[in-house]
Amino acid sequence: MAQVNWLSLVYLVVSTLFGLVAIWVLDSVGLRGATILGAWLNFAGSVLRIVPCMVVGTQNPFAFLMGGQSLCALAQSLVIFSPAKVAALWFPEHQRATANMLTTISNPLGVLVANMLSPALVKKGEDILLMLGVYAIPAGAVCLLSTICLRESVPPTPPSAGAASSTSEKFLDGLKLLVRNKAYVILAVCFGGCIGISYSFSTLLQQILCASGYSNGFSGLCGALFIAFGILGALALGPYVDRTKHFTEATKIGLCLVSLACMAFALVSLLQGQALALATTCSLLGLFGFSVTPVAMELAVECSFPVGEGAAVGLIFVLGQVEGIFIMLAMMALTVQCSERSFSTCQQGEDPLDWTAASWYSSSTPHTGACRQSLASPPPPRTRRPWAAQTQGGVWTEGEREGLGSWGPAGRLRSARRG
């Protein structure tokens, strides 16, 4: 079972070790180069995972599987760090939170599709090759499309004044500014804990529920509800924040609700025969956890000006990966074997584990983060539109909209003069 856990844990480890490299690639090479590199790494990893299934007598097949997973993890780092940069460079101000939300939920949406498709493809051990082959097809298609179709990192016409006047700090200087930014550090630590809990929940869900007598099919359903309701929550919260600009309030409330949902899951998961309550808590945990992700990312970009978007978001995710590693290792260390549980449905040939202490430990992590985020009062985010201080509440006046509506040299000149 430890090897199975490492297939997920390798994503956290690789993202932690190479996260800063991915941040540098995004901010220095640009979106086009980072996207193409990520597509090729993902395709190479997908092919490498198939090798032990196709070549008979392969020595140490698990090493090939872990190597493929590691390449895919490298690709994921470039993908999950990029939504805020895509939103900032390709979309106007009033659409950024929605654009950030749509690009962010694409990753869990792919996980949801894989979770539903894998059981249908794999009926016996010999079907694993079919599953890996099916997953390599879209990876190859994306690799081909990104290499051929992506021509520029930025649009020919800037969608907003902020995109046209982007003046990001150099990589190392930007990291120093982030570490010294109190508001950013508070957000990074609190939201990083939320990311770590999400990774741990997705990885260990089946092992926790089987010890309480729930089937693997029900565990898969809870995992699907976790992702599905998270996507629905993000779809609802993104446009709302775009209209109201309540980034800070939405993040604080979201983290507090995640904390409550974690405590509810820690309690209900230890009980037998509570399928409806478990499904509800998993749905709420996803609803609150995933929905706050694009909002917190946009808030991180705003409060870290003039640091680049890739660095502002990437450092939070790197910290989240580190917290996720410690949370998962601590949870596995806190488990104890309990052979007397006859109702267990675990099928690994080992005694079921008691997850009581581990579950309560995991629920305390977001609770602590939510308290820190709620009690702390960081200053309002520094906008990436330097001239916005002259407007009322950060909303453009009618004259500014006219100047930016037909985005040409005159519009840029008027915006510069306003700054």
Side-chain angles (χ1 to χ4, degrees):
M1 201 61 199
Q3 287 184 332
V4 175
N5 288 338
W6 269 104
L7 292 178
S8 297
L9 195 58
V10 67
Y11 276 83
L12 304 183
V13 175
V14 170
S15 296
T16 301
L17 296 177
F18 296 96
L20 294 180
V21 178
I23 294 172
W24 177 84
V25 171
L26 271 173
D27 282 343
S28 301
V29 179
L31 275 174
R32 179 180 181 272
T35 303
I36 294 176
L37 177 60
W40 276 98
L41 286 172
N42 190 50
F43 179 62
S46 301
V47 173
L48 187 60
R49 290 184 302 189
I50 304 177
V51 172
C53 299
M54 297 185 63
V55 180
V56 180
T58 302
Q59 298 293 325
N60 199 0
F62 187 73
F64 282 87
L65 183 59
M66 285 295 294
Q69 289 287 94
S70 300
L71 290 179
C72 293
L74 283 172
Q76 188 194 47
S77 299
L78 295 170
V79 172
I80 62 176
F81 296 174
S82 62
K85 197 171 189 68
V86 173
L89 296 180
W90 288 83
F91 291 87
E93 302 281 348
H94 65 282
Q95 295 178 358
R96 284 186 180 176
T98 302
N100 202 337
M101 174 269 300
L102 291 174
T103 50
T104 300
I105 66 174
S106 61
N107 189 49
L109 181 61
V111 174
L112 177 61
V113 172
N115 286 342
M116 294 187 298
L117 189 59
S118 297
L121 292 174
V122 180
K123 302 298 183 182
K124 52 186 184 297
E126 292 76 8
D127 295 335
I128 294 179
L129 175 60
L130 172 64
M131 180 190 71
L132 295 177
V134 169
Y135 291 158
I137 294 175
V142 170
C143 183
L144 182 64
L145 290 174
S146 62
T147 304
I148 297 176
C149 299
L150 287 181
R151 301 297 179 86
E152 300 291 341
S153 295
V154 295
T157 302
S160 67
S165 59
S166 178
T167 55
S168 299
E169 291 287 330
K170 294 181 179 180
F171 178 68
L172 292 179
D173 294 336
L175 293 182
K176 293 178 183 178
L177 288 176
L178 291 178
V179 174
R180 297 170 184 170
N181 188 332
K182 179 182 177 182
Y184 178 85
V185 171
I186 293 174
L187 177 64
V189 173
C190 298
F191 182 60
C194 184
I195 295 174
I197 284 293
S198 298
Y199 280 117
S200 303
F201 177 87
S202 302
T203 303
L204 302 175
L205 177 62
Q206 186 273 335
Q207 300 173 51
I208 295 174
L209 295 186
C210 77
S212 297
Y214 297 98
S215 65
N216 291 342
F218 179 73
S219 300
L221 174 63
C222 289
L225 290 173
F226 172 72
I227 298 175
F229 274 82
I231 293 174
L232 293 177
L235 287 173
L237 189 60
Y240 168 78
V241 174
D242 256 337
R243 292 194 304 270
T244 63
K245 307 303 178 186
H246 292 160
F247 291 96
T248 304
E249 296 83 353
T251 303
K252 288 184 176 182
I253 294 174
L255 290 178
C256 290
L257 293 175
V258 169
S259 174
L260 294 176
C262 279
M263 288 188 287
F265 175 79
L267 175 63
V268 178
S269 63
L270 303 176
L271 305 176
Q272 302 175 52
Q274 300 295 327
L276 180 59
L278 265 175
T280 302
T281 54
C282 291
S283 301
L284 292 176
L285 187 56
L287 179 68
F288 303 140
F290 274 115
S291 62
V292 78
T293 299
V295 179
M297 290 168 60
E298 193 66 21
L299 180 60
V301 170
E302 290 298 323
C303 74
S304 60
F305 179 81
V307 180
E309 296 85 358
V313 174
L315 192 59
I316 287 185
F317 272 97
V318 170
L319 184 59
Q321 317 283 14
V322 174
E323 294 186 51
I325 292 173
F326 281 108
I327 291 172
M328 286 185 61
L329 293 178
M331 289 181 66
M332 289 187 287
L334 289 172
T335 57
V336 293
Q337 290 190 353
C338 47
S339 56
E340 68 275 6
R341 289 194 174 184
S342 58
F343 51 82
S344 171
T345 58
C346 300
Q347 301 174 359
Q348 286 77 38
E350 302 176 356
D351 293 334
L353 300 175
D354 184 356
W355 291 86
T356 303
S359 297
W360 285 113
Y361 165 77
S362 67
S363 67
S364 68
T365 303
H367 178 70
T368 304
C371 292
R372 285 197 301 261
Q373 178 72 4
S374 299
L375 295 176
S377 298
R382 288 171 286 175
T383 178
R384 291 185 173 270
R385 294 176 285 125
W387 56 89
Q390 301 176 6
T391 67
Q392 296 182 355
V395 179
W396 290 348
T397 64
E398 192 62 29
E400 287 174 319
R401 290 196 184 93
E402 292 176 0
L404 298 173
S406 56
W407 186 252
R412 285 195 293 271
L413 179 61
R414 284 193 294 270
S415 298
R417 287 174 177 172
R418 278 196 296 272

